[in-house]
Amino acid sequence: MAASEGTVVLAYSGGLDTSCILVWLKEQGYDVVAFLANIGQNEDFAEARKKALALGAKKVHIEDVSREFVEEFIWPAVQANALYEDRYLLGTSLARPCIARKLVEVARKEGARYVAHGATGKGNDQVRFELSCYALCPGIKVIAPWRLPEFYRRFAGRRELMDYAEKHGIPVPVTPKTPWKPQPQRGRAPKTRAPPGLYTKTQDPATAPDTPDTLEIEFKKGVPVKVTNAKDGVTRQAALELFVYLNEIAGKHGVGRIDIVENRFIGMKSRGIYETPAGTILYHAHLDIEAFTMDREVRKIKQGLALKFSELVYNGFWHSPECEFIRHCIGRSQELVEGKVRLSIFKGQVYILGRESPQSLYNEELVSMNVQGDYEPADATGFININSLRLKEYHRLQSKVTVKQNE
Amino acid sequence: MAASEGTVVLAYSGGLDTSCILVWLKEQGYDVVAFLANIGQNEDFAEARKKALALGAKKVHIEDVSREFVEEFIWPAVQANALYEDRYLLGTSLARPCIARKLVEVARKEGARYVAHGATGKGNDQVRFELSCYALCPGIKVIAPWRLPEFYRRFAGRRELMDYAEKHGIPVPVTPKTPWKPQPQRGRAPKTRAPPGLYTKTQDPATAPDTPDTLEIEFKKGVPVKVTNAKDGVTRQAALELFVYLNEIAGKHGVGRIDIVENRFIGMKSRGIYETPAGTILYHAHLDIEAFTMDREVRKIKQGLALKFSELVYNGFWHSPECEFIRHCIGRSQELVEGKVRLSIFKGQVYILGRESPQSLYNEELVSMNVQGDYEPADATGFININSLRLKEYHRLQSKVTVKQNE
Amino acid sequence: MAASEGTVVLAYSGGLDTSCILVWLKEQGYDVVAFLANIGQNEDFAEARKKALALGAKKVHIEDVSREFVEEFIWPAVQANALYEDRYLLGTSLARPCIARKLVEVARKEGARYVAHGATGKGNDQVRFELSCYALCPGIKVIAPWRLPEFYRRFAGRRELMDYAEKHGIPVPVTPKTPWKPQPQRGRAPKTRAPPGLYTKTQDPATAPDTPDTLEIEFKKGVPVKVTNAKDGVTRQAALELFVYLNEIAGKHGVGRIDIVENRFIGMKSRGIYETPAGTILYHAHLDIEAFTMDREVRKIKQGLALKFSELVYNGFWHSPECEFIRHCIGRSQELVEGKVRLSIFKGQVYILGRESPQSLYNEELVSMNVQGDYEPADATGFININSLRLKEYHRLQSKVTVKQNE
Amino acid sequence: MAASEGTVVLAYSGGLDTSCILVWLKEQGYDVVAFLANIGQNEDFAEARKKALALGAKKVHIEDVSREFVEEFIWPAVQANALYEDRYLLGTSLARPCIARKLVEVARKEGARYVAHGATGKGNDQVRFELSCYALCPGIKVIAPWRLPEFYRRFAGRRELMDYAEKHGIPVPVTPKTPWKPQPQRGRAPKTRAPPGLYTKTQDPATAPDTPDTLEIEFKKGVPVKVTNAKDGVTRQAALELFVYLNEIAGKHGVGRIDIVENRFIGMKSRGIYETPAGTILYHAHLDIEAFTMDREVRKIKQGLALKFSELVYNGFWHSPECEFIRHCIGRSQELVEGKVRLSIFKGQVYILGRESPQSLYNEELVSMNVQGDYEPADATGFININSLRLKEYHRLQSKVTVKQNE
């Protein structure tokens, strides 16, 4: 190779695919800078660095984005009660825009015109990754080998990849994955039960402890600021540590497993088996404190925005004007979402035990059956009568129409 | 009392409140016809009839609406995945319009101009009850003693009610409540943990069986048509029997308890502790088979309609033109929602194990990572590029603006 | 009258109804403070003051809220493109919360426990008025004579009101109404054509000038900041003056008349004939500059919020947490809505002639048919193919199903 | 060229572009079948046929789809009050799926594996066209020359196209366009005023007649079934004739011109100048009869569906499961939308004069200010009080918070 095709920053995982891609990119004439994001996964980053350099990377960037991942990406999803298609808590979808943002930053630093990734050509991650890159740096070019015929035809199956790896001295065992990155097991028949070994972050509920953990989670502005374990008094306050601790407790009790069929952005249905331990606890806790402190009608509007938010995030539009707009609006709705929720974590399930808040809109006296408080029961009569006006009118018309038809 | 004020049909429960109301209505000069709806609760109806007659009811109607309750009210809620404020499965809200419809029918048969009920003046049930009556029979007059000053001032507390009961020979012990009618424990401080004794339909998950039940539920047009227990081969097919069986299995495993703060239609927040055992299983099962068989975009539209449906039902608008319209639309969306879902029921939790359907939109080949099928990965490049167009334009404008601001 | 019932601040219009109410309130034992809001209407306020005092008002407050009405109430509606039921530009609905806010302020100043108004018991204004008062001052008591049996039975018709007026020396001719307050002509048969005399703010389009006025309206943050008339160079910049000028120009050309049947909050349909001259011009101009500068997807979300906003305002919920929340969100969406729109005003119609903006998201090169710009046509192929994936799958299933049915 | 590449059915307009494409496709080795759809445009179809054959078309299909266009595509849009981005009445977007459906039918008849069209690579029509083809016939292949580098590089500008035409004996003057197909004038600077010559279907309002036409339009199930001109008694009943007549009247009075900036599906903004004469009259008339006969809450839900419908149609998803679903739902909402609307058409504007309907939900007595009817004004007090409950609670919390902050 004479003149370089230029520099490409590769989102490198240390695994087989991106190792092969690294070597292949060099073959195509690129200078390759490897980039690894630490979003909290258990990974031997030193080992990965060594490996990347051994495979010919010009340079290796290992960036710890775990704190910003929790604070800037997971927390807004908690505020939103984000749930894709009523069930999926959006783990990976939140990680991609975080990683891509840092990748683009590295590319800028390195003066690279290209970035590359190892996501497949049928999945969501390619979209999430690339939309983020283009939104943040319109001039960048993304190389996605799994969508290039010269690449995917050459590596039509696992076999060819292994052969290539062997030939180029690429070690085959893959490094472990992140503790809160969901493990999509796509391609498996939706009918077949998921093998237990799939789950890496959660205990099987059947063998989970026989005694619950009772947690108290404190929220400010819709975001957890403190967790206390009633059993042993353990507390966590900093965002990342708090999140890691919830993952640990939830994982121990088998909380957060789902098996779904979902709709990918590109239009196909796929089966997904996910674990979102901490996310599941936070989903329930936040729903509860929000319902306690937020006006009913504000909640309804916010719920509509959150539905849209979840779809946008799943589809890869985190870094878009509309998602930015929605995050702002949802953030605004959270200003008074504050208080403590107590929960029991047991055998795969999260139970709300109670809640309290200085911002509670619950009024003991108003709701009591023994005191009228400020409430005048006769008002409810007028309320019901007026609400029935429209219904009566409709009925009258219907009757009139029916009568006519029978004449 | 000389001339009668006319006939009133009272929705009678056999309990203390409606027994006192029965006597009080007679005192006011009405002829009282007692009406009891059997929606599947464990109740000694013969005993209640005797009691009503003893208290002076001119006549007693006991109507079994349990089958229509399941088929015409619960099934549409299952089709909708109805969930009020993200958590409540709407038990009582579904029963009220069913009971009211029969009540109005009885009133018509009896030539009664009045109906009466024992719902309080602060709750949702008065609204659900009365809107149903007015919508179905605009000329009817509803008597709601708990909203009449002459009644609620006289019976300001439990004490006065008991005294009145004693004086008029009204037996005090209340008959048990329906097995699937939620037990709202309103008025209790939201902070305090619910006493275990509150729950009558579900086992405490802590003491639930250590081995799961595995069910297969078959759906046609979005409605369960058969349940099979894999453990013992038990099957149920008729709607009511199927529903009762799911209540039994779910109850045994402690499934379906929630503790929430909710927003009543009249505008106050209240705490609700509910049990919806069968409903919880069906919610998960239906979500799953629907996601498997329904187009993504149809699902999104239907989800929006279902949000509205849940709110309407909760607020008492089952018998309204808009709810009728939404039910029709949701029904239409369910025509191809068909197939079998396998679930494990264990320690308060429902786990989806797999699903299959002749109407599946899942395409094994399309989603596979080893076969391209009809799919051309290069198309995804164009798809992503076009989707990024708008984001790049926005970024360019933002940059331009930023540059200007810095000049 | 011995001891006073306390002080009531009456929203006084100078007309027959509120004059009678003033006297009647005194009869009931209240000390009456009359309050008149100047929201820009042509009214002889000095005369009204004299009259109120003559009728026994203890005091008269005349408050000019015209500037805040335009800036704090009309401008947010312009930003929202607020339109109730696709047609009504919300004139009066915007005025009520503005007037009520000042009324409550006066009541506080006067230490009054009561406020009163002359709105009827069947309309929207009573709701708008009272919800505003209660939201801003929960302890206040509202007296609405037209809903009190002792009042409305006494004044069952126009006749009785006139008699009462005569008896108490209340002059009968009503003062003219505000130039931009719509003139609801409810109660008229929806079939009958509106008499031309109804309209007070707009010229009949048939007799409007034969030459158009051409205006250029400049917006900043979604709000008009300058209008220039191309014909004579007249400019207006201050909010109130600008609005009054647009009313004048639009009125001259017969712009802004509508004849609709609308749904009142209390559930009945009524016919409304409205004039919103300035509002109509601003609606078209703002829509145009917004479409030019706002991202497509932000626009769609904002459109949903605006639909809700219009409904809330119409129903009287301006001073509510949800309306405040939506105003905040819409405000946020307007930050880059800036630029100039040129319009022609002619014979009842507003025509957009062109627009320009430093914040335009329109990209001449991108859209051109002669230059590709940054655009790669082949990308559209991938985009279309991926979008068709889902449709093809659906078709395949349908065919399979159809085939089966035919077997 | 020996063996044929197969048969392609070309959507042929008779114009320069598709004439060149016809010849070019033959050059590439295809057998070309020309297809022309008559959707009501003024076109010399015999001439076009001759031309296509002269250029080498193997066969020419001229299909009259004007009746189905009006009945199956325009009527549902009328029922929906379809409006894209608050302004555009969707002319072309409705024609594409109609034409594509027939095209696919012809391709099936001819046993052709290919269809081709002359839409550009930056517009919406390519998407509308192709999504329709793929949805209706997943196996078809679409050839879009304007997206093929070998084509668009060869014909980089008008010049090259003209040269090619001359060389191959293709006559240059383009045949006139359809009377109700909008004339998009994209690419023109949004700032510049549209040249008057652009408009082909509508008179300049300035020179339009000085006397209005007064029409009465009768609807059944949300669809116009009869139009009567009050001036001369002309009536039209059949769908196509009625629509053509409305185009004529509206065109004469300059009704239906808009100048907008819109968002294309592929993500860019473009300027569009459209004429939709009949559509504009029908939009206003249908809105009016719908508001008169449809329950308020049904209307609100239907409005949300219609917003989605408009977006789907604009983006080319007419033939999709979601659009089919929405059309069904909207159709259902129209069952009672029936009655007559009287309108005046004058100088570019449509004025509603009145309406009547056997299905009217308007109740004269209920709305009257002189009769109470069935209405109890005191009920409104309860209605308002209950509605204010939530607002008062919110205010109390806000005050509490404020007080705390000031302490």
Side-chain angles (χ1 to χ4, degrees), chain C residues 170-227:
Chain C
I170 300 169
V172 169
V174 183
T175 62
K177 287 298 193 317
T178 149
W180 58 70
K181 183 178 131 200
Q183 286 280 59
Q185 291 309 115
R186 286 136 175 173
R188 288 169 189 273
K191 186 183 167 176
T192 321
R193 183 167 185 168
L198 260 187
Y199 299 101
T200 61
K201 295 149 50 184
T202 53
Q203 187 64 28
D204 184 337
T207 58
D210 285 325
T211 50
D213 273 278
T214 300
L215 303 178
E216 182 180 85
I217 304 182
E218 187 177 345
F219 287 87
K220 283 230 163 82
K221 293 180 186 279
V223 150
V225 294
K226 187 177 179 184
V227 59

Side-chain angles (χ1 to χ4, degrees), chain B residues 134-263:
Chain B
Y134 291 136
L136 297 171
C137 183
I140 205 87
K141 300 285 172 213
V142 180
I143 301 173
W146 283 118
R147 287 203 314 264
L148 299 175
E150 60 270 34
F151 186 88
Y152 68 72
R153 286 197 191 124
R154 179 160 169 195
F155 303 107
R158 210 76 196 146
R159 193 60 268 142
E160 288 81 354
L161 216 55
M162 306 284 261
D163 289 351
Y164 186 79
E166 206 174 338
K167 196 174 130 199
H168 292 85
I170 301 168
V172 169
V174 182
T175 62
K177 287 297 193 319
T178 149
W180 58 68
K181 182 178 131 200
Q183 287 282 58
Q185 291 310 115
R186 285 135 175 174
R188 289 169 188 273
K191 186 184 169 177
T192 319
R193 183 166 185 169
L198 260 186
Y199 298 101
T200 61
K201 294 149 50 184
T202 54
Q203 187 65 28
D204 185 336
T207 59
D210 285 326
T211 49
D213 273 280
T214 301
L215 303 178
E216 184 182 82
I217 304 181
E218 187 177 345
F219 288 86
K220 283 229 164 82
K221 294 183 187 274
V223 150
V225 294
K226 186 177 180 186
V227 60
T228 309
N229 192 325
K231 207 152 67 179
D232 54 15
V234 165
T235 68
R236 293 288 183 277
Q237 293 186 283
L240 178 59
E241 287 69 26
L242 190 158
F243 189 74
V244 167
Y245 181 69
L246 289 181
N247 257 330
E248 181 196 310
I249 297 295
K252 179 174 98 179
H253 290 285
V255 161
R257 297 177 166 196
I258 57 165
D259 176 332
I260 63 173
V261 170
E262 74 197 76
N263 289 293

